[in-house]
């Protein structure tokens, strides 16, 4: 029987490309882990040194030189604790690998190459990396540790190999991006693997937002029967201790801290808050700015921004026009007051009139149409961008996924912005999130939630003049976009009118050009617009059975 | 000694997703090939039925049903000629393959699965497809034909396999996208392969624009010694006959038509014209529209648009402000006249004043800065988009690659547009293309080419106030973006000032957010911005050795 060992799951938030900063973060975390937890081993996430995903930065040779010197610095500075860290490596032939190193007493004692390279959804690892073939098992104080990286645990072979090479316990380094059901998926997959190989697994995930991707942490450790013994919190950086003991021939994971897991709306809300916070802070903006319309999307976006950055970093602008209802102005004011943000109003009528008059000759003989509606949205876009340029604040776009899907938004108008928090949030979920946020403190007036949604770009306009009810719309979008179902399959599943389903699915296909020019947003679904769903703009594909 | 056979290289222009339309095009081409050339065999490009690349349409099950019925229709309708066509296939397990079929007497007599799946640059084939393992050799009238698909010919193994399985000649189906040196690369690679396997190759490439990608045709056939015997034209659909003869044990490719190849500027110019034409026509726009500034970028874009679509489909708008020089207005008018397009002027001063006054309270205490310059560009953007919305014409953006690289352009301003023809054309090449176009007919006033470039957004502004000379800038961009060189390597290569190189390369890195919201453009370089170069927006990566 060997001594008890303390392994730290280092849920850190590295910044992509910041090898120097990430190195400092690793060293600091290692020292803290030693001091606070008497750590024996600290396990970091996948690609710790570069952050994940570095994308085409991986083609730059200089990156590998930076990684090399970072490894030397770490070896030099942390000699009293074992570190397991992730990084990319390039060999003499120019082949690249996704690696994990076991650093002990100032030396890389062993290293592992990732075997399963994901190349689906948001992942392009086969663009960059060659696969490893071998397990990596390291013995330390009588325990044999098998190293695995992320996708490796989703298939049997790497874990099985590792166990056949003698591993008592598996250390899995992850950069696993968030989506709504992802945590449950991870637990399910790891349990299955544990049942197959009968070894405990320590699953370490990164935290933080990187453009569209949110890493939600939630690191965990299971015993050899698959039960979760230690659970790290979600969306928070943390050093989570796992105590293990070798008894007879097996390694036992002792029960430890178990963070409460978030549920449903709370989990999505935290992802959105982290997305805004990290995009703004990692990119060095002096706060954010958004157009407040009195509608629910901008109200929710405002609450998220304030929760992410604090009220003093958030500016809200009402830009009323003749179609703006009085209650919209009242409600916008109330929201701004409730959240304590800087709020002001810039009426757009004189600008609109100037455009109308400038274009009057060119538009002679044409009827009023959607052009004039888009013009209002675009004037607001220019105003927001001007304030952004003047103040250094980032504009947040307020479109939701339902609008983004069918193109119910104005390119260069309400789509203006550097980041789009609700881009992957369907309208029906926007309502649920607003209600959830009000349970913490009442910041979104009830009327904003209950009144019929309207873009207020023409008299008495309602969203449902041109779109089906949002619950219907969101079902169609989910089936068509996430599940790749055909219109016929959607009609069969829900019993909706076929012409309506065809109309909506065609709108989705036709509006790819708008989405291609949209700001990045927070991916919360298993299939978000952006790098996750790569559709051609030019396409005559149609499923009209 | 067998009879002479006529093989047609069918350089067609399919439309992505238009399985029905592409099927009709295949059948029509087959009939024409039979009638005009007494074709024995017609070889089509890779993925003929779906167009290339269909991207995530490949995840839709209904696509495969459409492909199945298209194959049945083709088998039914073309029975007197052998067809070799490309298409995607999905098996019972849900695995997908990139296929080629040999269709003879109304039956798929044999089929081949692509072995080498490109997953670099603009290609994501490992996202979609599983690899084949086997050669496919078909005997027809005494000749054994080996089928290969595109990337297969770039490595030895598939050709070698095919020859070992008895192939006398190789048929290579391609969807090979254009870049400046690509045709030479293809010839070089195929010659090398021919030298290795000592068999003639018939290389059939598709024609047409698909979003960012241009397929330039240029199909060719080599003899067993590697010499090109038949050369199809570039950027034109065509049915190019190749006559072969079996003599003793070898197949001889007889000398045939040899289209003159385009050179340098002419080749790039044709790519740009095709890009605009196909984007506009395949997406069903009623013409195009652009802002004419009197500068060289908009002048060249106008000429391309007219050459692509004809003058009657092109509208040019001058939007002068107080910083617009008189000679800019004169030159813009001259360009419009020379090309015969509808031209009009919309002064922006009253609109600008309306914005200034609307924002005066918010901007109190702030100095005038880049905000006011961007505002002018954005007003022009809104005007163009309004005319676009009213008339159904597509806005062409006029930014060049040098500007796109360093962010010398206004998001939602001059970046507005559905398509951006010059996006991958560096400024120095813009000048050469303008001069080339003037050799055909004089449409760009000499003064536009010789005067110092200026955005005319403030008094006496010149591009070179904030950027190095364009030849220097373009060298830095090429080395940094295309060749992934570090600033130090660039300084070593060119002897430029280190601080200047650092400043420019940082501008490139920092402006990824703008490019992410840019319109697609015509890829002409081996590394274009867009899907070809995938960089994170959030990144602290820097190479400051």
């Amino acid at each position: 029987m060997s001594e008890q060992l303390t392994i730290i799951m280092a849920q850190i938030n590295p910044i992509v490309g910041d090898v120097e900063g990430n190195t400092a973060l690793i060293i600091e975390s290692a020292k803290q882990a030693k001091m606070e937890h008497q750590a024996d081993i600290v396990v970091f996430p996948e690609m710790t040194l570069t952050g994940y995903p570095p994308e085409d930065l991986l083609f730059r040779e200089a990156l590998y030189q930076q990684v090399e010197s970072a490894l030397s610095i770490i070896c030099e500075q942390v000699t009293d604790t074992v570190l397991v860290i992730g990084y990319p490596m390039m060999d003499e032939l120019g082949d690249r690998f996704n690696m994990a190193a076991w650093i002990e007493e100032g030396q890389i004692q062993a290293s592992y190459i990732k075997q399963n390279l994901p190349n689906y959804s948001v992942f392009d690892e086969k663009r960059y990396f060659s696969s490893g073939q071998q397990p990596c098992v390291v013995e330390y104080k009588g325990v044999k540790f098998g190293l695995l990286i992320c996708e490796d645990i989703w298939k049997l072979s790497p874990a099985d190999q590792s166990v056949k090479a003698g591993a008592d316990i598996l250390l899995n380094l992850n950069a696993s991006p968030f989506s709504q059901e992802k945590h449950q998926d991870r637990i399910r997959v790891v349990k299955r693997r544990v049942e197959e190989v009968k070894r405990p697994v320590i699953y370490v995930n990164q935290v933080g937002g990187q453009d569209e991707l949110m890493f939600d942490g939630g690191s965990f450790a299971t015993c050899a029967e698959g039960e979760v013994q230690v659970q790290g919190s979600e969306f928070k950086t943390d050093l989570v201790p796992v105590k293990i003991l070798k008894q007879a021939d097996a390694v036992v994971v002792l029960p430890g801290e178990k963070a409460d897991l978030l549920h449903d709306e709370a989990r999505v809300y935290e992802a959105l808050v982290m997305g805004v916070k990290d995009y703004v802070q990692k990119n060095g903006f002096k706060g954010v700015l958004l157009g407040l319309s009195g509608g629910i999307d901008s109200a929710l976006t405002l609450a998220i921004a304030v929760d992410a950055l604090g009220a003093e970093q958030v500016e809200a602008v009402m830009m009323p026009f003749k179609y703006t209802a009085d209650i919209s102005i009242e409600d916008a004011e109330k929201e701004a007051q409730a959240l304590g943000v800087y709020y002001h109003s810039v009426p757009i009528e004189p600008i609109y009139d100037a455009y109308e008059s400038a274009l009057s000759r060119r538009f002679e003989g044409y009827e009023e149409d959607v052009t004039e509606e888009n013009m209002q949205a675009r004037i607001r876009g220019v105003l927001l961008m001007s304030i952004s340029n003047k103040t250094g604040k980032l504009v947040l776009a307020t479109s939701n996924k339902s609008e983004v899907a069918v193109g119910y938004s104005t390119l260069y108008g309400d789509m203006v912005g550097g980041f789009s928090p609700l881009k992957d949030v369907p309208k029906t979920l926007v309502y649920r999130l607003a209600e959830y946020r009000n349970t913490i403190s009442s910041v979104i007036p009830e009327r904003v939630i209950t009144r019929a949604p309207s873009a207020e770009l023409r008299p008495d306009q309602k969203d449902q003049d041109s779109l089906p009810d949002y619950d219907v719309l969101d079902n169609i979008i989910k089936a068509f976009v996430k599940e790749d179902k055909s219109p016929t399959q959607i009609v069969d599943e829900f019993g909706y009118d076929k012409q309506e389903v065809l109309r909506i699915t065609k709108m989705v296909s036709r509006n790819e050009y708008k989405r291609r020019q949209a700001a990045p947003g927070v991916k919360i679904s298993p299939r978000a617009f952006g790098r996750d769903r790569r559709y051609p703009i030019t396409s005559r594909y149609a499923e009209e059975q």
Side-chain angles (χ1 to χ4, degrees), chain A:
Chain A
M1 195 173 118
S2 74
E3 66 190 306
Q4 182 175 299
L5 292 177
T6 300
I7 300 169
I8 298 296
M9 304 192 289
Q11 260 187 214
I12 62 169
N13 185 350
I15 296 180
V16 162
D18 189 11
V19 178
E20 207 177 305
N22 298 335
T23 302
L25 184 57
I26 289 168
I27 293 170
E28 188 193 317
S29 303
K31 292 189 172 162
Q32 196 186 333
K34 187 73 185 174
M35 208 163 59
E36 293 178 8
H37 301 284
Q38 292 77 48
D40 297 288
I41 301 169
V42 187
V43 185
F44 289 89
E46 181 178 14
M47 297 276 268
T48 334
L49 279 174
T50 57
Y52 190 90
E55 304 188 55
D56 282 7
L57 290 174
L58 288 166
F59 293 141
R60 303 196 71 86
E61 261 186 63
L63 179 72
Y64 298 88
Q65 294 157 14
Q66 294 186 15
V67 165
E68 281 296 308
S69 46
L71 287 170
S72 306
I73 293 170
I74 292 168
C75 284
E76 211 175 279
Q77 302 216 0
V78 185
T79 50
D80 57 353
T81 318
V82 171
L83 305 185
V84 183
I85 65 175
Y87 58 96
M89 199 267 276
M90 190 191 277
D91 70 13
E92 320 76 56
L93 300 170
D95 285 334
R96 290 172 295 267
F97 304 93
N98 184 337
M99 310 275 298
W102 177 282
I103 299 176
E104 186 183 331
E105 295 183 354
Q107 297 264 333
I108 297 183
Q109 301 284 2
S111 64
Y112 173 73
I113 301 176
K114 186 176 186 178
Q115 303 194 46
N116 286 333
L117 300 172
N119 206 66
Y120 55 84
S121 178
V122 299
F123 303 107
D124 287 304
E125 291 202 16
K126 290 184 180 167
R127 178 177 174 88
Y128 307 110
F129 297 123
S130 301
S131 292
Q133 310 291 336
Q134 301 294 330
C136 172
V137 176
V138 189
E139 186 164 351
Y140 181 75
K141 300 198 177 171
V143 177
K144 288 185 174 161
F145 294 89
L147 304 190
L148 297 175
I149 301 176
C150 209
E151 193 81 359
D152 285 332
I153 201 89
W154 291 70
K155 294 196 177 153
L156 175 57
S157 154
D160 191 47
Q161 253 184 10
S162 197
V163 168
K164 284 183 178 141
D168 297 315
I169 181 167
L170 301 171
L171 302 180
N172 190 216
L173 287 71
N174 298 272
S176 174
F178 172 74
S179 65
Q180 280 169 284
E181 309 291 323
K182 195 66 168 288
H183 185 77
Q184 292 90 310
D185 287 348
R186 292 179 199 133
I187 298 275
R188 186 178 46 73
V189 166
V190 169
K191 279 196 174 178
R192 187 167 151 199
R193 209 74 330 124
V194 169
E195 282 163 20
E196 287 165 342
V197 301
K198 303 191 172 32
R199 294 293 182 283
V201 170
I202 296 185
Y203 183 105
V204 181
N205 194 22
Q206 128 177 13
V207 170
Q210 170 59 27
D211 294 347
E212 295 179 336
L213 302 186
M214 298 304 118
F215 298 93
D216 51 331
S219 303
F220 60 92
T222 74
C223 61
E225 289 73 42
E227 288 311 300
V228 174
Q229 302 288 78
V230 184
Q231 174 64 60
S233 55
E234 295 167 284
F235 302 103
K236 282 184 197 143
T237 57
D238 203 359
L239 300 175
V240 188
V242 178
K243 294 185 186 295
I244 66 166
L245 202 60
K246 187 153 186 180
Q247 286 182 325
D249 271 353
V251 163
V252 174
V253 174
L254 303 178
E257 290 176 29
K258 274 198 186 172
D260 286 337
L261 293 175
L262 298 170
H263 285 288
D264 306 330
E265 285 77 20
R267 185 176 268 167
V268 171
Y269 194 83
E270 286 307 312
L272 301 176
V273 168
M274 186 173 78
V276 170
K277 184 178 175 185
D278 275 11
Y279 193 87
V280 168
Q281 294 185 347
K282 290 181 178 179
N283 286 297
F285 287 98
K286 301 175 183 159
V288 298
L289 164 79
L290 74 161
L292 216 51
S293 70
I296 188 148
D297 300 312
S298 59
L300 180 62
T301 306
L302 183 72
I304 292 165
V306 170
D307 291 339
L309 305 167
E312 66 290 344
Q313 290 221 59
V314 181
E315 172 173 347
V317 192
M318 170 37 101
M319 293 167 284
F321 190 51
K322 55 189 171 192
Y323 307 130
T324 310
D326 290 343
I327 58 166
S328 297
I329 300 177
E330 286 167 23
D331 289 342
E333 267 174 22
K334 272 192 214 161
E335 293 155 16
Q337 262 172 12
L339 287 159
V341 302
Y342 171 36
Y343 170 84
H344 61 109
S345 173
V346 182
I348 68 168
E349 190 126 8
I351 306 173
Y352 182 87
D353 292 345
Y355 277 109
E356 268 221 318
S357 130
L359 286 166
S360 59
R361 209 158 54 94
R362 181 64 185 87
F363 285 0
E364 240 175 54
Y366 287 93
E367 297 289 306
E368 211 170 289
D369 59 11
V370 76
T371 307
E372 285 73 16
E373 300 182 26
N374 284 337
M375 200 183 280
Q376 299 162 48
R378 291 194 178 114
I379 291 167
R380 293 183 175 118
V382 174
L383 288 168
L384 291 175
M385 287 307 295
S386 298
I387 300 174
S388 169
N389 286 163
K390 199 58 109 188
T391 61
K393 293 176 186 170
L394 175 82
V395 176
L396 294 180
T398 59
S399 299
N400 60 60
K401 186 174 193 170
S402 314
E403 293 170 350
V404 169
V406 295
Y408 196 74
S409 53
T410 300
L411 192 54
Y412 320 129
D414 54 314
M415 288 177 69
V416 147
F419 199 68
S420 186
L422 305 183
K423 187 180 181 184
D424 196 32
V425 181
K427 188 82 171 189
T428 46
L429 182 54
V430 168
Y431 282 105
R432 296 207 308 278
L433 290 172
E435 276 162 1
Y436 161 74
R437 180 59 186 81
N438 274 352
T439 63
I440 300 173
S441 63
S442 180
V443 294
I444 301 173
E446 193 52 31
R447 188 163 66 183
V448 174
I449 298 176
T450 52
R451 68 187 280 216
S454 165
E456 298 196 327
L457 296 170
R458 60 173 185 262
D460 300 319
Q461 185 181 30
K462 300 278 173 287
D463 292 8
Q464 268 55 61
D465 299 343
S466 30
L467 297 175
D469 284 346
Y470 275 115
D471 53 346
V472 173
L473 180 63
D474 287 353
N475 281 337
I476 296 174
I477 292 169
K478 189 177 168 203
F480 187 70
V481 171
K482 181 186 149 197
E483 295 157 10
D484 282 326
K485 289 195 172 139
S486 70
T488 303
Q489 287 171 315
I490 297 170
V491 170
D492 289 350
E493 180 173 350
F494 296 101
Y496 297 149
D497 176 65
K498 178 151 189 188
Q499 286 314 308
E500 188 69 347
V501 172
L502 283 175
R503 185 174 77 90
I504 297 300
T505 55
K506 272 185 204 160
M507 286 170 84
V508 174
S509 304
R510 208 173 47 226
N511 281 289
E512 184 58 30
Y513 77 100
K514 281 193 194 176
R515 289 189 290 268
R516 202 65 75 85
Q517 295 191 40
V522 177
K523 171 176 156 75
I524 64 154
S525 79
R527 199 153 204 214
F529 294 116
R531 294 216 168 160
D532 198 359
R533 185 181 186 265
R534 305 179 188 174
Y535 263 56
I537 298 178
T538 303
S539 165
R540 295 218 183 133
Y541 183 69
E543 288 167 355
E544 285 176 77
Q545 300 97 328

